[in-house]
Amino acid sequence: GNSVTQMEGPVTLSEEAFLTINCTYTATGYPSLFWYVQYPGEGLQLLLKATKADDKGSNKGFEATYRKETTSFHLEKGSVQVSDSAVYFCALKYSGAGSYQLTFGKGTKLSVIP
Amino acid sequence: DAGVTQSPTHLIKTRGQQVTLRCSPKSGHDTVSWYQQALGQGPQFIFQYYEEEERQRGNFPDRFSGHQFPNYSSELNVNALLLGDSALYLCASSLGGRDTGELFFGEGSRLTVL
């Protein structure tokens, strides 16, 4: 079945450090890939997405590239801020007909210290 | 513009009891999905409702049931509660005609079963 594996957290970085959160997936066909973020006290919100191989999703300085050959969708940001402290979830959606669910990874908690 | 609202935010039940959780989707959205998020885990898909019908169901027992009303709001019912049902229950809304995987989440209802 479909599954998503994220790097274990928590991750603690100093402000302005480079961030990478690894995500790999197992899926049939060609899924769409997502990063969702959960800030403290808030609901999950979509950060970025990519729908086909070699697509790059980007938002708020975060980027992730859909790599079919390595089945990966790693999240990166060049310079993190304290306000980026949150839990980040990688997710996929199977592209087949009749499939409406998202499959999430376990999440990676990021703490950014000044 | 109101986002996804869920009620109650917290509740405590005992084993064997029944619970009903409620969700109002984001304005303009017609599709509601429910997810269960155990502590330290990613959200797991329970089911999705569109046009007042269950469109897809995840790997959850029949004790979990739902309903969608003509105004698109939704309820999640869980019967015969088990300790393992303790979790954060997330409601997410979207536009059913465009199944892009882009979901808007509420803050969740935290259920504790004693």
Side-chain angles (χ1 to χ4, degrees):
Chain A
N2 299 332
S3 66
V4 174
T5 302
Q6 286 182 239
M7 64 185 286
E8 294 284 331
V11 174
T12 302
L13 295 174
S14 298
E15 211 166 16
E16 299 184 3
F18 184 85
L19 168 71
T20 299
I21 300 178
N22 291 336
C23 171
T24 57
Y25 68 89
T26 301
T28 53
Y30 303 98
S32 295
L33 301 173
F34 306 82
W35 278 100
Y36 277 82
V37 58
Q38 189 171 35
Y39 297 104
E42 299 184 17
L44 277 84
Q45 54 187 270
L46 178 64
L47 180 60
L48 54 83
K49 64 179 277 191
T51 58
K52 61 184 187 297
D54 299 326
D55 266 3
K56 177 184 284 188
S58 61
N59 186 26
K60 298 182 181 180
F62 290 89
E63 294 183 340
T65 301
Y66 188 162
R67 302 287 188 198
K68 184 172 179 297
E69 62 277 11
T70 55
T71 61
S72 65
F73 192 55
H74 304 322
L75 182 68
E76 296 182 335
K77 186 175 185 183
S79 176
V80 295
Q81 306 301 312
V82 172
S83 57
D84 294 326
S85 297
V87 182
Y88 292 81
F89 293 92
C90 185
L92 69 81
K93 180 183 172 304
Y94 173 58
S95 58
S99 179
Y100 304 99
Q101 70 180 77
L102 290 181
T103 299
F104 286 87
K106 291 185 177 181
T108 303
K109 183 176 181 179
L110 169 67
S111 296
V112 180
I113 54 177
Chain B
D1 178 23
V4 178
T5 57
Q6 294 186 241
S7 64
T9 55
H10 294 82
L11 68 165
I12 299 173
K13 293 285 188 178
T14 57
R15 281 179 298 174
Q17 284 189 311
Q18 178 264 343
V19 67
T20 297
L21 308 178
R22 296 176 176 83
C23 173
S24 292
K26 178 179 168 64
S27 178
H29 284 183
D30 59 3
T31 302
V32 172
S33 303
W34 287 93
Y35 286 79
Q36 180 195 67
Q37 187 178 11
L39 198 61
Q41 302 295 313
Q44 294 218 332
F45 177 76
I46 303 174
F47 40 54
Q48 184 182 90
Y49 276 85
Y50 174 63
E51 294 187 339
E52 301 181 51
E53 300 222 347
E54 184 183 287
R55 180 154 78 167
Q56 186 181 10
R57 187 180 185 90
N59 189 24
F60 279 80
D62 291 345
R63 297 186 298 108
F64 289 76
S65 63
H67 188 78
Q68 185 178 35
F69 298 94
N71 67 354
Y72 308 123
S73 67
S74 177
E75 289 182 350
L76 164 66
N77 300 290
V78 187
N79 294 322
L81 285 167
L82 304 174
L83 295 179
D85 295 331
S86 295
L88 182 67
Y89 288 85
L90 299 171
C91 172
S93 72
S94 57
L95 285 170
R98 298 180 60 223
D99 181 37
T100 63
E102 297 181 31
L103 303 181
F104 288 76
F105 283 85
E107 293 183 31
S109 294
R110 184 164 297 282
L111 170 65
T112 301
V113 182
L114 301 177

